Amino acid sequence: MSRRGKFITFEGLDGTGKSTQMRKLAAKLRAAGHKVVETREPGGTATGEKIRRVLLDSATEGLSPMAEMALMFASRAQHIAEVIQPALDHGQIVLCDRFTDSTEAYQGSGRKLGSESVLKLHRILCGDLQPDLTILLDSDPAMSVGRARRRNQRVHDSSHKAAGKHRPDENRFEQQNRTFFAHVREGYMAIAAREPQRVVKVDASGTPEQTHRKIAEAVQRKLRLGRT
Ligand code: TYD
């Protein structure tokens, strides 16, 4: 499998500002002349976005943890085949909002399915594709999850005012309790401790600009990309 491009993933709890930081890094890398693909999981392909709707909608009830994990991987397998691997083969930089570390943290640790099953499925379904660099945005769970809840509620309220029947939202995970997110965070910390070469932990409690500078520095130091 030829890998001429670079694969950078963004991870962290809901509401840590991953999407904002990904956009900022993409702009910086493009300004430095790189071809950049921005994408996300679950989702990133037409099929993946359909799977995303099932996974994130709070109307999806009774999904078993195993089925949840399987859907995350179904979305990912399609995403790798259709978007990520072709872009890497063309020498592009792929920035991805969440990847298998999310499954290890949320399903492996949060849902208690264990790391081993996640890593095994990753080998089977994803050809063990590893990011060149993972930016793990770290902040207090209560703060970041609270922010994500307010944001999703606002988006839902403003775009779906129609009374009566349910409209799809993206709130299913944000409705989990504090203990769940404490486990997710522990899962992330364990990954960072296990793979310090790949995973760079970035404190996301400052301003977006401060966080961006830390990320840009890490990308430059680890991959020699983005000097302008
Ligand atoms: P995302 O859209 O990144 O949410 P946010 O912007 O709030 O961080 O991700 C959607 C949700 O899906 C998020 O709560 C984490 C969850 N998720 C998993 O549980 N496992 C996975 O493998 C992935 C990719 C996401």
Side-chain angles (χ1 to χ4, degrees), residues 87-190:
L88 293 175
D89 289 344
H90 282 95
Q92 297 172 352
I93 298 175
V94 178
L95 302 185
C96 191
D97 191 340
R98 297 192 182 281
F99 194 60
T100 298
D101 294 330
S102 281
T103 314
E104 195 177 342
Y106 282 75
Q107 282 67 49
S109 193
R111 302 279 195 226
K112 300 195 162 58
L113 297 180
S115 286
E116 200 38 51
S117 54
V118 175
L119 298 178
K120 223 180 237 173
L121 285 173
H122 185 71
R123 282 194 291 276
I124 297 167
L125 299 171
C126 305
D128 211 21
L129 178 69
Q130 298 295 326
D132 296 287
L133 174 66
T134 295
I135 303 292
L136 172 57
L137 293 178
D138 188 33
S139 69
D140 174 45
M143 230 177 62
S144 48
V145 175
R147 194 158 81 181
R149 282 192 185 123
R150 288 191 296 278
R151 174 197 59 199
N152 287 354
Q153 203 49 54
R154 264 200 315 276
V155 171
H156 192 240
D157 287 351
S158 62
S159 59
H160 301 301
K161 270 265 163 356
K165 66 178 197 275
H166 175 82
R167 299 298 178 96
D169 59 44
E170 296 208 333
N171 292 332
R172 200 170 68 85
F173 281 95
E174 277 94 3
Q175 288 170 350
Q176 294 298 313
N177 63 24
R178 229 181 232 246
T179 316
F180 176 82
F181 287 107
H183 286 309
V184 173
R185 184 161 183 274
E186 277 166 26
Y188 273 133
M189 292 306 135

Side-chain angles (χ1 to χ4, degrees), residues 37-67:
V37 174
E38 290 173 78
T39 188
R40 70 169 177 183
E41 293 196 352
T45 63
T47 303
E49 292 295 324
K50 287 183 192 164
I51 297 172
R52 180 183 175 93
R53 251 169 269 147
V54 173
L55 279 165
L56 302 193
D57 190 350
S58 60
T60 300
E61 279 172 11
L63 193 61
S64 81
M66 283 293 184

